[in-house]
């Protein structure tokens, strides 16, 4: 079945370090891909998305490119801040007559000052 | 616009009871999805509703059911509660797109259910 695999956390970085959170997926069709973020004490919210191959989603300095050939959607940020500390979820969404979204397990990021 | 609201926010039940959770989507959003979030299993898709019809369902037993009303508000019901049903239940709404691509889902704060 469809699935999303993302790197296990927690990931601990110093401020201004480079961030990569790996995400790979398995899907029978052509899904849309998403990164959602859950800040401490807050609800889940969209960070960025890409709906077709080679699309790049970007927001708040984060980027991810939809790579169909490697079935990946890795999240990157050039310089993290303490305020980026959160749990990041990679997700795919399929339209199979209705929408079904599959989430990865989540990766907790800690950024130290 | 008001966000997705879920009621109640917290709930304590005992095994064998049933529970009904409510979700009000963002005005104009007709797709509503439900998820169960637990530390062990993460975020798992329960079902998706659109125009009062369940269009998709995850791998949960029949004790989990839902419905959507004509105003797009949705409820989910869990009957014969088990200890393992303790979780955060999230509702998300999404606007309709003409291209068949799911737009962003907007999540509510969730209902935290504890089964004793």
């Amino acid at each position: 079945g469809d699935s999303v695999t993302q790197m296990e956390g927690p990931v601990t970085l110093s401020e201004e370090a480079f961030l990569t959170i790996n995400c790979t997926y398995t899907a029978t069709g052509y899904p849309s891909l998403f990164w959602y973020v859950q800040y401490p004490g807050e609800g889940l919210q969209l960070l960025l998305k890409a709906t077709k191959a080679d699309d790049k989603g970007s927001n708040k300095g984060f980027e991810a490119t939809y790579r169909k050939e490697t079935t990946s959607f890795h999240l990157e940020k050039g310089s993290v801040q303490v305020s980026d500390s959160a749990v990041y979820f990679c997700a795919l969404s399929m339209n199979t007559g209705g929408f079904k979204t599959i989430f990865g397990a989540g990766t907790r990021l800690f950024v130290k000052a | 616009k008001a966000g997705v609201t879920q009621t109640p926010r917290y709930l304590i039940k005992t095994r064998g009871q049933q529970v009904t959770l409510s979700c009000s989507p963002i005005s104009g959003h007709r797709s509503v999805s439900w998820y169960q979030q637990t530390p062990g299993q993460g975020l798992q898709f329960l079902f998706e509703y659109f125009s009062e019809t369940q269009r998709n369902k995850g791998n949960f037993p029949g004790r989990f059911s839902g419905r959507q009303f004509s105003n797009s508000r949705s409820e989910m019901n869990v009957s014969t509660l088990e200890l393992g049903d303790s979780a955060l239940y999230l509702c998300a709404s999404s606007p309709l797109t003409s291209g068949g691509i799911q737009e962003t889902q907007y999540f509510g704060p969730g209902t935290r259910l504890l089964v004793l």
Side-chain angles (χ1 to χ4, degrees), chain B residues 11-92:
Chain B
L11 208 46
I12 300 175
K13 292 285 189 181
T14 55
R15 278 186 304 171
Q17 288 187 308
Q18 75 160 18
V19 67
T20 299
L21 312 181
S22 181
C23 171
S24 293
I26 291 172
S27 177
H29 288 191
R30 293 164 63 187
S31 170
V32 174
S33 297
W34 287 89
Y35 300 87
Q36 182 194 65
Q37 187 175 24
T38 60
Q41 299 297 318
L43 269 158
Q44 293 190 283
F45 172 79
L46 278 156
F47 23 66
E48 187 239 357
Y49 284 88
F50 181 82
S51 290
E52 302 178 65
T53 299
Q54 184 185 96
R55 299 195 300 180
N56 226 325
K57 184 172 166 54
N59 296 325
F60 279 81
R63 299 185 297 105
F64 291 81
S65 63
R67 58 178 175 168
Q68 186 180 35
F69 302 94
S70 58
N71 62 359
S72 294
R73 190 176 70 84
S74 178
E75 288 180 348
M76 68 162 280
N77 183 277
V78 188
S79 63
T80 319
L81 284 166
E82 301 177 359
L83 296 180
D85 297 332
S86 295
L88 180 67
Y89 290 87
L90 294 170
C91 167

Side-chain angles (χ1 to χ4, degrees), chain B residues 87-108:
Chain B
L88 180 67
Y89 290 87
L90 294 170
C91 167
S93 74
S94 185
L96 174 67
T97 68
S98 59
I101 296 170
Q102 186 174 42
E103 282 290 341
T104 302
Q105 291 187 85
Y106 295 83
F107 284 82

